[in-house]
Amino acid sequence: MDRELLRHCLAYHGESLFNKLKCEQTENPDFQAVVSDLCKATYESGGEGHGNPLVEQFIARKADILFCPTWKTATHQEEEHEEEEDAAEPYAIMPPLELFMEVSYDERRAMLYRDLERGDIVVGRINNIREYGFFLTLLCTAGGLKRDIEDLELSALCHIREIPSTGSHDDPLSYYQIGDFIRAAVKDIDRYQEKITISLQQASLSPSLEHIKLGVLPREELPIHYGRSVRAAADSSETYRCILKSCHGYHNPSVVEYLLEKVGVSDTHPPSMMRGLQSKLFQAEDFASAIRKKQSSSWALKCVRAGVDHFKHGRYVEAMNEYNKALDIDTNNVEALVARGALYANKGSIMKAITDFELALESCPDHRNAKKYLCQTLVERGKQLEEQEKLVTAEGLYRRALSLDDLNPEAQEALHKITDTIQKSIRLREEALAKEQVKATSSQTSAEKLRKILKEEKRMKKKRKRSASSSPSSSTSSRRNSSSSSSSSSSRRRSKKKKKKRRRSERGSKRHRRISSRESRRSEGKSEKDRKEEEEEEEEEVEWYPAPPNTTGTFLNQKGGPGFGERDEEEEEVEEKNSEEKRITQLYSLSAASDDEESDSSRRERKRRDRAEGGTKRSKGSQSRSPERRSKSRERKDKSRERGKGDNRKDRRDSDSKRRSSLEENRKRRVSCSSAESEYSRKSSLKSEYLGNSGSASKHVESRMRHDSSKRNSFDGGRYENIEEAGREKDRKGKVEEERRRSDGGNSKRLEGVGNHNKQSGLTSMPGERAKKDLPTNLLDIFNQIAQFEKEKGVRPK
Amino acid sequence: MEGPSSRLPATTQDGPLWLAGRTDSGRDAESDPARDIKTQFRVCRFIMETGVKLGMRSVPVATACVLYHRFFERVNMRAYEPYLVAMSCVYLAGKVEEQHVRTRDIINVSHRYFNSSSAPLECDKEFWDLRDSVVQCELLILRQLNFHVSFEHPHKYLLHYLLSVKSLVNRHAWSRTPVAETSWALLRDCYHGVMCIRHIPQHIAIATLYLALNSYGVEMPVGEREWWQVLCEDVTKADIEAVISDLLQLYDMEAKCI
């Protein structure tokens, strides 16, 4: 028994109830447990006995129900969302009752101070604004509590701290004017001094009201009950009843269900004070649904029996009708399903039979007949499939049959047979496949290669023409293309292949390829030479990484350099993060930043020129090159990103294999032309792939790598290469760091130069290379070696 | 009116034996009004229980009870099988209140009510006869009531009153006190007797709320007028007391009847 509740009741009703309770509840141990306790309370309060002995009798008799803790079903679900559902008022929102009751001013005021709590919502009008806040004359309450408070002359202070500021420099109070309606949360109530402080901070609302927006309220959005109470107060003919009937919500056909839920009373297990209707007396099997289920299955069984009878006498149509009837009555009736399945199987509809048996086993997994029949039918079906040469499916069916009944000799035998056949055929097929593949790869590659070269050539020509006529900036791009095409024409198979891929696929895949190739190379034993090569390779890679911000060279725009570099990196990051919708804005921002870029590139150019090989041509147009290049490369990137998703994997895969094949060659070449400069030329294609479509980005591998790996992981869906790669990337990052440190120590200029150079290399690179291309290959190699040597020494040719 | 009234008892007689057998005790009794009231109480209890087992909401059950009471207001208790009428009332109430209940379920639940823990009915003649009687009886009820089958119930009022009264009470005191449950239970229990059609819905709603508040000793603020006066202008203290005393009688009856 709820002692507290009982005590309260006794205090109200007085001694007479207590005596009756003692009479009526003598057998209730719960009551006996609390009786002595209650005794005191009753006499203390000396309740005056509110009369009606019948009511007291009733309370006494039903006390065990009334004060039972489980009687209260409503969970304390705080003042729900209600309100603000104005248009679709689901029930009649009534003005506060005390308005009609004409409760005295003092009592109402006392009640409000008693019941108002922190986090409640009040609505009021601003009557005074001071520098420390404003004062609100309260009009009504909102949220859960509904009270008539308009004439109570309640004033509440909203301190300036409690007003969320919209702009940092503005005085928040300037948004509010005298006369504004404000919805605010109660921050504090001083019940003794009768002071209320309020807040406009959302956080000060109680959690159940959090969704209600605080602040200025247009007149139309004042609470409904307030509007109605104003009307009721003005017109005495507006009684509670009238208002109730005039409300839309009152006529809502489902108002009872809605409100029951609101007050928390269950209508499916309704409460009752009648002893015989206590919900604990209702048993689950007496409910309609339970009986119906039972009945249906028994009716269905009857039909099945009739059907089986028909079946035995060969009246298949009648049998089928009975089975179907049974299933109409009781869908998923196991017996009916099994019987119908058997009939189907008999009539040759094996698939239908299997479906039926499966359904039956679903609801009754241990049904012996169902298992047996399904097993047989599966074998049957398997044989059919075997005839149709669908061996694998058939094998699956046999296996399933065996899983149902592992001793079924038929299934066992069939399975043995079919596995043999399958293995044989697999072997045959493999051989055939291997042959085919060999043929396919060889033919395809050469044909495609040719096509590629032709295409490349064509494009190059076009571009050149265009660049000649247009601004120097466009010439960059053409040069880029021409350079790449020239590199492709330089009889280097590998780069050609890669290039073609580059056009189609996104940078991510390229990097994959690059890495995998690297890996394979690595795995080919580590002789001294190899290791050196590897180191070299690593260095190469490192070279593409962003120049650390503090590695300043003696370049012309030395001051700007590092800063720009940093900024570039940021930009890149932004670019990476942002999706394609934002492309345009980025374009703007990037083109705005093109000045930096320009200086960057010019610096690079200068350096290049200083180098041994024909940098003279290159420096042309370098000033204005970058913006154009940037945007172009981005376009490309976007496109390739779109496309690449699909192609990516495939590309990578076949490129992997090709890579491996061309590996030998690569290595040799690498050894021979190990100078940095030639690396560039070679790498111009390779690296640009590796770094992705945008040559400009090479500086920012680091930032990109992060994004890349995550991105790729997301669409490649956990391919193991990715994981591997991610780890690798981390490695590489580490190396970059290392390299950076080293370069700080003295080689910084070179590194940056290299970085800068490489940054461009993929796309803009190598106008000089074209020149180089004209030279014989071994000469080139020699040049490269020289350059490499110089680099090693850290001496820069002036 | 002659047709159905003469035909229907016949169908029930030769139809469901369990139903006929059940009513024999009431049938051969003398025309004792007290007995009638008890029968009524039992049948209403039957409707209530059936309603719960059928998953009906409170309002359709209330409608079924009102249909039943109104029907026997017009016809002699002895002329018809009350349980069959009750089943039809449940069926009809389901239609009226848009919560359709299937005859089969009604029959099943009723069958089990009288033959507890028995197997469900077979799908045979008895079942179909019973089903026919229920449907026939439904038509009879409709005609007897002149197709006035939708009633205003106190439920709506009670719920609105509950919300209004709740606002007057301190929220913590309210959440401790199961006034809503109690008043809802009281309201449902009202339908055990004819009182549900003797009193105005608003009065019933106010009285049940009053009794619930009173039972827990919830004190309401007092103004110029009492809270219940405001809810319905024409209600008097006497009205409320009348409803309450009728209701309390029903609780006494339970001890006597069941």
Side-chain angles (χ1 to χ4, degrees), chain A residues 718-783:
Chain A
R719 293 175 127 265
Y720 67 97
E721 289 102 321
N722 287 344
I723 302 159
E724 211 173 82
E725 202 219 354
R728 194 163 292 281
E729 271 170 0
K730 251 177 236 158
D731 279 349
R732 222 180 294 145
K733 228 184 277 176
K735 277 177 209 144
V736 172
E737 289 297 323
E738 203 181 84
E739 184 65 23
R740 211 183 262 179
R741 248 174 278 129
R742 232 197 299 159
S743 64
D744 278 353
N747 292 348
S748 61
K749 288 175 207 167
R750 173 179 56 89
L751 189 75
E752 185 171 84
V754 168
N756 281 338
H757 167 76
N758 285 334
K759 181 175 171 183
Q760 215 182 10
S761 61
L763 300 169
T764 56
S765 72
M766 321 304 127
E769 199 177 51
R770 238 190 313 149
K772 260 193 295 184
K773 286 293 134 47
D774 302 331
L775 299 170
T777 329
N778 25 349
L779 201 58
L780 197 75
D781 288 346
I782 293 164
F783 276 138

Side-chain angles (χ1 to χ4, degrees), chain A residues 515-692:
Chain A
I515 286 148
S516 57
S517 76
R518 208 159 70 95
E519 194 178 32
S520 60
R521 239 177 273 143
R522 230 178 234 185
S523 63
E524 290 194 3
K526 300 212 168 184
S527 67
E528 186 60 27
K529 204 170 152 196
D530 274 351
R531 196 160 313 147
K532 219 187 269 170
E533 187 188 305
E534 221 174 274
E535 271 162 25
E536 208 177 279
E537 247 178 77
E538 261 163 40
E539 211 176 275
E540 280 163 34
E541 257 159 40
V542 163
E543 281 161 14
W544 315 101
Y545 292 140
N550 58 348
T551 55
T552 49
T554 52
F555 307 124
L556 279 177
N557 39 6
Q558 182 179 5
K559 294 158 260 169
F564 294 143
E566 229 163 34
R567 191 166 157 190
D568 259 353
E569 204 163 313
E570 270 166 31
E571 277 170 17
E572 283 297 326
E573 243 174 73
V574 169
E575 195 178 311
E576 286 299 320
K577 276 179 203 147
N578 287 342
S579 53
E580 281 170 16
E581 304 104 76
K582 291 191 180 165
R583 208 187 319 159
I584 297 159
T585 42
Q586 272 165 13
L587 271 173
Y588 282 128
S589 73
L590 286 164
S591 64
S594 65
D595 284 359
D596 315 347
E597 187 65 31
E598 198 178 315
S599 58
D600 232 16
S601 64
S602 69
R603 175 181 48 186
R604 194 187 310 131
E605 288 313 317
R606 212 162 289 257
K607 195 189 155 200
R608 278 285 263 187
R609 209 192 305 144
D610 289 344
R611 288 239 167 124
E613 292 83 25
T616 43
K617 281 180 203 165
R618 214 177 306 140
S619 63
K620 252 187 257 162
S622 66
Q623 299 298 314
S624 51
R625 184 184 295 164
S626 31
E628 174 73 18
R629 172 168 51 78
R630 270 274 197 170
S631 59
K632 281 226 169 170
S633 70
R634 201 160 305 108
E635 269 167 34
R636 250 171 64 114
K637 189 196 288 181
D638 291 329
K639 253 187 248 160
S640 66
R641 195 181 292 168
E642 278 160 15
R643 251 177 302 151
K645 285 182 188 175
D647 295 343
N648 176 14
R649 246 175 283 167
K650 195 182 64 193
D651 276 357
R652 182 157 27 107
R653 221 175 298 132
D654 51 12
S655 79
D656 273 359
S657 58
K658 279 176 201 162
R659 173 77 36 85
R660 229 157 276 158
S661 67
S662 63
L663 198 72
E664 270 317 293
E665 192 192 333
N666 275 347
R667 205 177 331 145
K668 269 180 229 150
R669 199 162 284 280
R670 201 165 293 248
V671 177
S672 64
C673 55
S674 56
S675 95
E677 200 59 88
S678 74
E679 280 306 330
Y680 299 153
S681 62
R682 185 146 41 85
K683 290 280 166 156
S684 63
S685 53
L686 186 78
K687 283 290 176 181
S688 65
E689 273 173 18
Y690 159 61
L691 292 168

